[in-house]
Amino acid sequence: MTTAEAKLKERVKELTCLYQVSSIIVNSDYDQLETSLEAIVYCLKRAWRFEEATEVLLSVGGYKVKTNDFRHDMVNIKSDIKVFNKVEGQIIVGYPSEKYALSDFLDEEQTLLDNVSLAVGNLLERKQIRDSEAATTRQMERADRLHILGEITAGIAHELNTPLANILGFAELLKDKVKNNENRRDLEKIMDNAIFSREIVKKLLFFACEMPQEMGTVHLNPMVDNVLKLLGPSLQGKKIKLTKSFDNENIELKADTVQLTQVLFNLIMNAIYYSPVGGQIDVKIVEEKKKISIRIADQGKGIDTKNEDKIFEPFFTTKPTGDGSGLGLSVVHGIISSHKGLISHRPNTPKGTIFTVDFPKL
């Protein structure tokens, strides 16, 4: 028969465990959560009546920690871990089945286990809230930064337009008057560079959402087909396998045809550039109740985490010098913003990047 002293000893162990678990949770580092979960597992092991035989497994989300000799064939009791009222994992406490039975567990031990599971669930809820707030803050900071860059860029672009037009105009006038072939070639170089600079200014204005638009109903499927046809040689050159899928055959958007073509061209061209030889690119158009999503997935090296917030900034590029101006994605971002749309990216599986563009439906 269990003596009052033995019962008291068990209650003290349980209360000590709860206190230790609370302390671990209060002092948890959200970026090293596995360490805290491991400490909780060993607190539980010490709290059970047959401590030397107790083994514990805690599994939740992407975390899985256990004591050294835990086996799944043990006689055990368990408790679900709920995060925002959804079961995300469980804690299992077991004894070797060859020596112990389910009756060797105390009712109070099940209660303790339920309380610890509740505490772990609360910890994970706080981590998710923290992560969500941090992500929202980063998005707001990026939006503010892009807005400020847009205003600065628009000002610079407008200031450059007039001198570039003057350079181009006077160079053309001089070309008509100069007869020396060498001098004419020099003037042609001036004109070519002025035209190139004007195109950069145009792209900057796209980024700043200040280019005039001719909005109309656009049939998306044939537009995608036309862009893919234009990029056919590039796809063949790298032996890239292309898959495309449309939710239906007649998806329509209200958009500027030229600008939307530029968005598709830039995103697919980027996917080709970063894809390995023999890789695969997937183009998918999904029509939902309130939006139309264009998803372009490649199997390239992916976007480095340190560059995730920079890729839409003008003149930022990871391409070698001469391969890109760093304006492609910033132009894409500007056009999509002016169409009241959103662009996002996430890692592809097992490697690469998926760009998603969401447009509001007509």
Side-chain angles (χ1 to χ4, degrees), residues 214-247:
E214 294 183 13
M215 303 294 281
T217 300
V218 175
H219 297 279
L220 196 53
N221 301 20
M223 179 180 284
V224 172
D225 288 334
N226 287 338
V227 170
L228 292 174
K229 194 178 294 183
L230 284 171
L231 292 171
S234 299
L235 289 163
Q236 292 170 8
K238 295 187 76 171
K239 300 178 182 177
I240 292 171
K241 179 184 176 184
L242 177 77
T243 64
K244 61 177 181 177
S245 63
F246 306 131
D247 264 7

Side-chain angles (χ1 to χ4, degrees), residues 94-241:
Y95 290 141
S97 54
E98 56 271 18
K99 293 183 180 180
Y100 298 89
L102 197 58
S103 58
D104 289 313
F105 290 103
L106 303 173
D107 292 340
E108 293 82 0
E109 289 172 338
Q110 181 65 60
T111 302
L112 171 63
L113 188 57
D114 290 341
N115 286 332
V116 172
S117 294
L118 180 63
V120 171
N122 290 338
L123 171 63
L124 292 169
E125 285 178 3
R126 289 198 295 274
K127 181 182 186 300
Q128 285 191 19
I129 291 169
R130 194 285 307 257
D131 291 347
S132 177
E133 288 176 346
T136 302
T137 300
R138 284 197 301 272
Q139 287 176 355
M140 290 175 65
E141 288 173 348
R142 184 167 70 86
D144 286 343
R145 189 165 64 247
L146 289 174
H147 177 72
I148 293 166
L149 275 171
E151 290 184 345
I152 295 170
T153 299
I156 293 171
H158 286 302
E159 290 296 325
L160 285 173
N161 258 337
T162 300
L164 283 173
N166 289 337
I167 291 169
L168 192 57
F170 284 113
E172 287 176 342
L173 287 173
L174 281 171
K175 185 182 173 185
D176 292 337
K177 295 178 180 179
V178 172
K179 304 301 180 185
N180 183 288
N181 286 336
E182 188 175 342
N183 290 340
R184 286 176 67 87
R185 281 195 297 271
D186 290 340
L187 285 169
E188 285 171 358
K189 287 178 184 177
I190 291 172
M191 291 168 61
D192 289 342
N193 280 281
I195 292 168
F196 176 76
S197 299
R198 193 171 61 182
E199 288 304 307
I200 290 178
V201 168
K202 190 185 291 184
K203 288 180 180 179
L204 289 172
L205 288 171
F206 270 126
F207 168 72
C209 309
E210 293 213 358
M211 287 298 290
Q213 294 175 327
E214 294 183 13
M215 303 294 281
T217 300
V218 175
H219 297 279
L220 196 53
N221 301 20
M223 179 180 284
V224 172
D225 288 334
N226 287 338
V227 170
L228 292 174
K229 194 178 294 183
L230 284 171
L231 292 171
S234 299
L235 289 163
Q236 292 170 8
K238 295 187 76 171
K239 300 178 182 177
I240 292 171
K241 179 184 176 184

Side-chain angles (χ1 to χ4, degrees), residues 205-313:
L205 288 171
F206 270 126
F207 168 72
C209 309
E210 293 213 358
M211 287 298 290
Q213 294 175 327
E214 294 183 13
M215 303 294 281
T217 300
V218 175
H219 297 279
L220 196 53
N221 301 20
M223 179 180 284
V224 172
D225 288 334
N226 287 338
V227 170
L228 292 174
K229 194 178 294 183
L230 284 171
L231 292 171
S234 299
L235 289 163
Q236 292 170 8
K238 295 187 76 171
K239 300 178 182 177
I240 292 171
K241 179 184 176 184
L242 177 77
T243 64
K244 61 177 181 177
S245 63
F246 306 131
D247 264 7
N248 65 62
E249 293 303 314
N250 189 30
I251 299 175
E252 295 181 343
L253 271 180
K254 188 174 182 181
D256 181 296
T257 303
V258 174
Q259 292 184 8
L260 187 55
T261 300
Q262 190 166 3
V263 166
L264 292 169
F265 189 91
N266 278 341
L267 289 176
I268 297 171
M269 192 67 220
N270 257 10
I272 294 170
Y273 181 88
Y274 288 107
S275 290
V277 175
Q280 180 170 319
I281 293 174
D282 301 314
V283 179
K284 186 175 184 179
I285 300 178
V286 179
E287 186 172 19
E288 299 177 14
K289 187 175 288 186
K290 293 185 178 181
K291 65 181 181 180
I292 293 170
S293 296
I294 304 169
R295 298 170 190 167
I296 298 166
D298 63 58
Q299 296 179 339
K301 60 183 181 181
I303 298 171
D304 195 312
T305 52
K306 68 182 180 182
N307 294 331
E308 286 180 349
D309 291 338
K310 301 177 184 176
I311 62 169
F312 297 118
E313 295 178 3

